[in-house]
Amino acid sequence: MSVTVRLLRTLAITCLVCLTSITPSSFGYTPSLASDDDYALFKVHLEGAASYREILRAGIDIIEFNPANLKVFASTEEIFWLNSIGFRIERTDLSEVIDPSVFGLAGAGLYHTYEEVELELHQVESNHNDIAKVYDIGDSIEGREIWAIKISDNPTQEEAGEPDVLYMGAHHAREWISVEIPMYLVNFLVDNYDNDPRIKRLVDERETWIVPMVNPDGVEYSQREYQMWRKNKRDNNNNGIFERYYDGVDNNRNYGYMWGYDDVGSSPNPGAETYRGGHAFSEPENQAIRDLALHNEFVFAISYHSFGQLMLIPWGYVDGDTPDHKLYTDIAAEMAGLNQYLYGNAKDGIIYNTNGGAIDWLYGESGTLAYTFELGTMFIPPEDQIDAIWLRNRAASLYLLQIADDPRQIYPSINIYTDKTDYSEGDTMEVGLDLTNPHDETDVGVYIWTDLPGGDKHWVVRSSTVTLHTAFNYSNPEWKSYTLPPLAPGDYCWHAVVVDPSTEYVLDESVAPWVFTDS
Ligand code: 0X9
Ligand code: CA
Ligand code: ZN
């Protein structure tokens, strides 16, 4: 009883193209209400002192995060306290993180005001009504409409076969650049729809939702009153007066996944820059994003912030990885190849812990692979840097749209199949194998076997390093044609697996059943 196996090797290679405030603390620091001019930018050296977690816990506005030092926006009183617990501190200039020259310019200079976003989104809709539709997804505390634009063919319809992707800007008021990148994206998609078939495909075959200004009240306040404002405009003590040192909720601490998990990742203190609000989703801006996300199935999301040249992934609430960590980071690595940003989560030490953040909720609630992009090197860069920040992030932002139909397409894939399903004595079985690899010149491991009765495996390829070049050059004479060992009649299966050669992590597998009958 024998079956000759002939392996047909067909191979397809595809190329893809921060925080102020004041917590009554366990460290004996009792805050009081400080005046505006009392706040300045400082560099806090971490060597030889208490850990930065104490600074986090005190709710002090950490605006830049490094293993060796932090930049904080802090009051004289906070600085005295930091000094008293052993930190070495240097004063630096606020103009390192915000360009003061755009403050007070009519229409915020090249930056978008709320009114300009509103007008421009409606203009895009009327100029491209076949592919753009503006939606009012909720009202802010002060009653501004929170605008979303959906870009897709048939934008008024929910088309089931088209994966959804979400882009958001301005959870934080002072992060003006985080509005510009989603606005550029809107214009890029609609402006290139007619002349670039690749963009036409991305528009037609995806449902792209863009919310350029999640926190319009805060942005307005930052542009007109106080440039360093971060939070929304919630009147925390309900006294009808907006008090900078008591009011406002951090919209990136109010989402309902592990909300208020601890006081390191968010603050229970209304005056703190990371105040999380009275309860999860207490803020209308967060409710608007929640409702939008619950009515769509976002495969990916980007929440744009500034600054740090980073791409952040969950978890934020705890030092740990999500169950999808490998895919999450491997996609981040692909994007990092395009924008050269660092990526990681709190556990990796590139960002402090946060709870109630957008990406933890999007992933935790819906499995959306959501990224925080910390754009650029300033909250408000000089106007002449806006273009360059867009150009640096354009390909990475579009990349998620490209792969949204199947995020796992970043990995090699394997498919094994036979010419028919029933064989008998003396037959020749033709086994086909498709192996695709999105990257040239990378090593993968390939395993191919068929089961034998009694649980044994008959190996055809058993290798943990196969280098896939643009042309598949793995040569094994056994592949061409050989005879299987004597078989008992019964059910069999071919198995093919492609693995990461260093970790043996299974990237894809394929099974082809066949039957051997006695003739
Ligand atoms: O603190 C934040 O909300 C973000 N940084 S910012 O300077 N733009 O305020 C960081 C969010 C961090 N997310 C995770 N740790 N996962
Ligand atoms: Ca108040
Ligand atoms: Zn931010």
Side-chain angles (χ1 to χ4, degrees), residues 18 172 175 230 252-253 305-306 313 316 351-352 354 374:
C18 302
H172 291 140
E175 298 169 13
R230 168 181 170 95
N252 210 29
R253 299 294 183 277
H305 284 251
S306 53
I313 64 170
I351 188 71
Y352 43 79
T354 59
E374 293 284 359

Side-chain angles (χ1 to χ4, degrees), residues 235-243 247:
D235 181 6
N236 290 334
N237 56 358
N238 238 322
N239 64 355
I241 306 165
F242 189 72
E243 294 137 303
D247 289 332

Side-chain angles (χ1 to χ4, degrees), residues 245-262:
Y245 299 106
Y246 198 78
D247 289 332
V249 171
D250 184 342
N251 287 120
N252 210 29
R253 299 294 183 277
N254 191 243
Y255 288 94
Y257 188 82
M258 296 295 163
W259 177 89
Y261 176 79
D262 63 23

